[in-house]
Amino acid sequence: MPQQVCVLGSTGSIGTNTLDVMARHPDRYRVFALSAMSRVDELLAQCLAHQPRYAVLPDAALAARLRDGLRAAGVRTEVLEGPEALSQVAAHEDVDAVMAAIVGAAGLAPAMAAARAGKRLLLANKEAIVLGGALFMRAVEQGGATLLPIDSEHSAIFQCLPEDRDTWHQRIDHIVLTASGGPFRQRDPATLADVTPEQACAHPNWVMGRKISVDSATMMNKALEVIEARWLFNLRPEQVKVVIHPQSIVHSMVVCRDHSVLAQLGTPDMRVPIAYGLSFPERIESGASMLNLLTTPNLSFEEADAHRFPGLHLSWQALRAAEGSTAVLNAANEEAVAAFLERRLRFDQICRVNRETLETVAPEAGEVDSVEGLLTLDARARRHAQDLISSRSATV
Ligand code: NAD
Ligand code: MG
């Protein structure tokens, strides 16, 4: 029987890559549900191609447009509306696997629902684990879910480790996440104030959604990945290290207790981690091109410069602060990136908003024990960041 897969955030970069891999294996995977935020025409085209049982949109007006299109095409997909519907389809008893590919904190609730329902959970949505932290990992354990990292670095680490998670702790000395350095690796840091959203979104090695592209340019993406790795692999903050590797061929490394170093290599193509998430512990064809070492540019590694990338170090700062501080950092960053994309904040001010918010908004007792508490903390941090953004000339 093919596995029934929910693809949450199906119109995004990870979502479309997931559908691409699944379409290569119609005998193994069926699309159970799709979801989008606003792009109804793209979601309609996906429904026509994959004929899912459900499609989810945020409100009634968008849902009505999709229903009209489906009716005209004679497709029987049922359209659900509102954020709760995402959790409903993610936890549906007929679902085997959930691809969590919504961007931002909005993806936490459906990812938690999939975790609690014991699904195979393919986690691309790093903000969900940065926000959810220990609570998220407890939901995975208590629900009996299989958590599979989709972020390429974390998939690399996962691929370097044995299937038996109980042995991970014993064998890992530390891990090294590689970072491309983004589009401004060699740009004079003094000129970063002038960066436009278009320049920030032009990543040298990967084509991705706008939010993660800006995060890659500020290195906040790597900061979020440090926090993500801490939770996925149950590491101490100092066991997660970062090195710049501009070619994005070595996707990350595990340094073992005996100092043997295990690395995973490949062309930069998200279909590899997606295919592994879908097929683990087996391997399936992904559509990615083969790595040719003879034509690959020389692999190089550089230290991550704290002056050039001040945002990176906020990850360790947040991990060492009170539990919940990583949620504060994530919320500030989501607000700062949105403001930058709307040209309300300068590129070089993103990190300052993040640091200020992290150092000012303190998690309160009990806030980290429930999704509701975390979302209250998230909202508080967002308000603080918004105040900083609107009064940036005075305070930032
Ligand atoms: P994207 O912007 O291309 O797509 C985001 C998807 O989420 C879209 O389908 C959108 O409709 C949906 N969405 C956005 N806001 C929503 C909301 N409030 N409620 C419901 N749905 C919403 O983003 P992406 O690049 O595909 O990234 C998705 C996630 O995967 C992010 O967390 C990102 O950090 C992570 N990730 C992406 C890549 C990549 O190569 N693109 C790599 C690693 C990790
Ligand atoms: Mg990554």
Side-chain angles (χ1 to χ4, degrees):
M1 285 282 283
Q3 285 190 45
Q4 299 285 341
V5 184
C6 255
V7 184
L8 305 181
S10 61
T11 54
S13 163
I14 294 289
T16 50
N17 275 308
T18 303
L19 293 175
D20 179 285
V21 176
M22 288 175 64
R24 293 166 191 274
H25 305 278
D27 51 323
R28 294 182 73 121
Y29 308 108
R30 274 290 139 73
V31 179
F32 180 83
L34 296 171
S35 92
M37 181 66 180
S38 55
R39 295 191 206 146
V40 176
D41 294 341
E42 283 172 54
L43 188 60
L44 175 62
Q46 291 182 340
C47 288
L48 302 192
H50 298 278
Q51 313 252 331
R53 192 172 334 163
Y54 297 107
V56 185
L57 279 163
D59 62 48
L62 293 169
R65 271 181 54 200
L66 182 61
R67 282 190 197 103
D68 287 347
L70 288 167
R71 202 174 303 120
V75 171
R76 301 229 307 257
T77 298
E78 188 178 331
V79 183
L80 307 176
E81 59 206 44
E84 315 75 44
L86 294 169
S87 296
Q88 277 167 29
V89 293
H92 194 287
E93 59 176 0
D94 293 344
V95 165
D96 299 299
V98 175
M99 165 55 85
I102 288 173
V103 58
L108 176 65
M112 287 283 287
R116 289 194 183 113
K119 305 300 185 193
R120 172 190 278 260
L121 176 53
L122 283 64
L123 186 73
N125 180 200
K126 65 191 86 186
E127 295 90 352
I129 192 167
V130 170
L131 170 55
L135 185 75
F136 182 83
M137 295 309 289
R138 277 201 300 277
V140 168
E141 198 175 315
Q142 288 167 6
T146 307
L147 184 56
L148 295 156
I150 298 301
D151 221 338
S152 57
E153 297 77 1
H154 306 74
S155 174
I157 302 290
F158 184 72
Q159 292 181 56
C160 291
L161 291 169
E163 267 180 56
D164 182 1
R165 287 169 197 254
D166 293 341
T167 68
W168 289 0
H169 180 71
Q170 186 278 323
R171 50 178 78 213
I172 302 176
D173 183 81
H174 65 275
I175 64 170
V176 181
L177 302 180
T178 52
S180 70
F184 309 132
R185 183 175 59 89
Q186 291 174 313
R187 181 164 165 154
D188 176 0
T191 67
L192 289 178
D194 306 326
V195 165
T196 64
E198 292 69 31
Q199 290 169 337
C201 288
H203 195 279
N205 303 346
W206 302 92
V207 180
M208 310 180 286
R210 281 164 71 76
K211 196 261 177 183
I212 185 176
S213 296
V214 176
D215 285 346
S216 298
T218 58
M219 277 286 239
M220 275 307 298
N221 180 50
K222 211 51 55 179
L224 298 175
E225 290 182 358
V226 168
I227 298 166
E228 180 184 14
R230 179 263 174 270
W231 290 114
L232 283 173
F233 306 110
N234 192 21
L235 300 170
R236 296 188 307 280
E238 60 274 18
Q239 284 181 291
V240 187
K241 300 183 194 294
V242 172
V243 68
I244 304 287
H245 167 48
Q247 299 82 21
S248 298
I249 298 292
V250 176
H251 296 307
S252 279
M253 293 165 258
V254 176
V255 181
C256 303
R257 286 279 168 98
D258 56 7
H259 296 179
S260 172
V261 183
L262 307 173
Q264 185 259 342
L265 285 71
T267 49
D269 189 326
M270 287 308 294
R271 290 176 297 180
V272 175
I274 291 167
Y276 194 59
L278 284 166
S279 65
F280 169 84
E282 294 172 27
R283 299 255 179 189
I284 55 171
E285 198 260 322
S286 66
S289 59
M290 189 104 64
L291 178 65
N292 182 342
L293 284 173
L294 301 181
T295 56
T296 301
N298 285 345
L299 304 183
S300 62
F301 300 90
E302 301 161 13
E303 192 178 344
D305 177 347
H307 173 58
R308 182 180 291 278
F309 302 117
L312 175 61
H313 294 271
L314 297 178
S315 56
W316 290 288
Q317 186 178 335
L319 281 171
R320 291 190 179 109
E323 195 183 343
S325 300
T326 57
V328 172
L329 177 61
N330 179 66
N333 185 55
E334 286 196 31
E335 290 301 320
V337 172
F340 168 69
L341 287 171
E342 292 164 13
R343 296 172 209 271
R344 291 184 283 116
L345 190 72
R346 286 201 327 254
F347 181 80
D348 61 323
Q349 291 172 323
I350 296 174
C351 173
R352 286 189 247 170
V353 169
N354 293 351
R355 175 180 296 115
E356 245 279 349
T357 308
L358 174 64
E359 290 175 355
T360 312
V361 178
E364 286 169 13
E367 274 181 332
V368 296
D369 297 334
S370 67
V371 173
E372 297 70 33
L374 281 170
L375 293 179
T376 306
L377 175 60
D378 172 86
R380 216 147 44 79
R382 281 174 197 267
R383 279 195 300 278
H384 185 86
Q386 282 160 5
D387 288 347
L388 285 176
I389 291 162
S390 38
S391 61
R392 65 184 188 278
S393 49
T395 47
V396 178

